[in-house]
Amino acid sequence: MLREVPAVLAIALVVALLLKTFLVQVFVIPSGSMEQTIQIGDRVLVDKLTPWFGSEPGRGDVVVFKDPGGWLESDHKSSSDGPVVRATKKVFSAVGLLPSDNEQDLIKRVIGVPGDTVECCDDRGRLTVNGTAVDEPYIAAGNVPSRQPFKVTVPADRLWVMGDHRDISADSRYHMENPGGGTIPMGNVIGRAVVIAWPIGRVRQLDVPSSLSSLPVRAAGVPAGGRVVAGAGPVGSGGGTETPGGNPVPPEPPVVMGVLGVIPLVVRPRSVRVLGVRSVG
């Protein structure tokens, strides 16, 4: 028994690490920026496997991505844990059994892919992609596609992302003054959210809306730092970004923390608080 238990534990940790790194991971949602599609407290299962085979995010996909810089609050509470507890948490975080204290992940819906021109709003108040008005049934009740007019051409290897709860989502519109004009690097995408895995009553697949997936593909010939303009006027000349006419309120705190994907599917998780973010203990 004394010889077998450590071996079993070691194998379990290795399997957990492989699952977290290459296959699937569950992320816990403490923010309302994706309501009503994903609600506060939902656990979403994220596919991390297909990107290893060259799969890239498409329009309409809900993706989890690393903060490209300046999107999240930077305040971190100091830990009162002793050295042994800190070391144990570090090991468990590495294999996905606990959330990491320095996770900086977000979740949003891809609206524009490289080469797309995304604009809001047309004369009927709709968002358009490459001049085609998009039906957005996933937007939270009472929201409009955007209260902030904008027009952006997505540069190569980047994505334009927006939350479904547009009135409170500090998404690409909110960061148009940042490098990249509010777009995020394709390489920052961790994976595509495919299923709401918990609570049981909300288990369902996260489908891609046909209004976005059916749009024709446009060649991505826009250089990095491509043209971004806030407001309803024509796209200006040259690179760079003009100041947005308004920002979503309030700005978002860190919205997603990652944990091992298989645990919430086996046993009922217990919520704890880590850095003000709900996660799995």
Side-chain angles (χ1 to χ4, degrees):
M1 176 68 72
L2 293 177
R3 290 194 302 269
E4 290 178 356
V5 169
V8 170
L9 290 176
I11 292 172
L13 291 176
V14 171
V15 171
L17 179 60
L18 291 174
L19 283 171
K20 177 195 172 188
T21 304
F22 299 107
L23 297 178
V24 294
Q25 190 172 2
V26 162
F27 287 80
V28 186
I29 311 301
S31 164
S33 69
M34 283 298 295
E35 293 173 336
Q36 298 295 322
T37 305
I38 304 174
Q39 298 182 5
I40 295 174
D42 284 353
R43 274 72 168 164
V44 296
L45 189 64
V46 173
D47 168 25
K48 301 177 72 174
L49 178 63
T50 54
W52 288 93
F53 296 94
S55 173
E56 293 185 348
R59 301 187 198 97
D61 286 345
V62 176
V63 296
V64 172
F65 59 95
K66 293 290 183 184
D67 178 12
W71 282 50
L72 296 175
E73 294 179 354
S74 57
D75 294 339
H76 293 277
K77 296 179 180 179
S78 58
S79 174
S80 59
D81 297 330
V84 175
V85 174
R86 283 199 303 269
T88 302
K89 284 185 175 181
K90 188 173 182 179
V91 172
F92 276 56
S93 297
V95 298
L97 297 178
L98 284 177
S100 172
D101 286 348
N102 59 3
E103 289 281 0
Q104 295 285 283
D105 305 328
L106 300 103
I107 187 166
K108 295 283 180 277
R109 187 181 299 276
V110 176
I111 303 297
V113 296
D116 283 347
T117 297
V118 185
E119 184 175 4
C120 200
C121 301
D122 66 5
D123 55 1
R124 293 176 57 185
R126 299 172 299 180
L127 180 141
T128 65
V129 178
N130 301 329
T132 301
V134 177
D135 179 32
E136 299 189 279
Y138 43 79
I139 291 180
N143 284 205
V144 296
S146 181
R147 301 189 191 278
Q148 170 189 335
F150 67 89
K151 184 174 183 178
V152 56
T153 300
V154 183
D157 299 318
R158 301 185 76 90
L159 301 167
W160 179 267
V161 296
M162 300 174 73
D164 289 356
H165 197 165
R166 298 284 164 82
D167 285 351
I168 67 169
S169 178
D171 49 36
S172 286
R173 298 166 297 162
Y174 186 75
H175 302 282
M176 292 176 71
E177 294 180 337
N178 292 18
T183 60
I184 67 166
M186 193 85 73
N188 279 38
V189 175
I190 295 170
R192 182 169 69 92
V194 292
V195 172
I196 296 176
W198 190 269
I200 293 296
R202 285 187 44 75
V203 172
R204 65 184 180 89
Q205 183 174 332
L206 292 170
D207 296 319
V208 177
S210 59
S211 57
L212 285 169
S213 62
S214 63
L215 293 173
V217 177
R218 171 171 288 194
V222 183
R227 296 180 296 177
V228 179
V229 172
V235 177
S237 60
T241 305
E242 295 184 10
T243 304
N247 293 325
V249 177
E252 291 183 60
V255 296
V256 179
M257 298 292 284
V259 294
L260 181 65
V262 295
I263 293 178
L265 303 179
V266 178
V267 296
R268 180 165 182 167
R270 174 174 54 86
S271 294
V272 297
R273 301 292 282 181
V274 180
L275 297 178
V277 177
R278 295 181 62 122
S279 192
V280 172

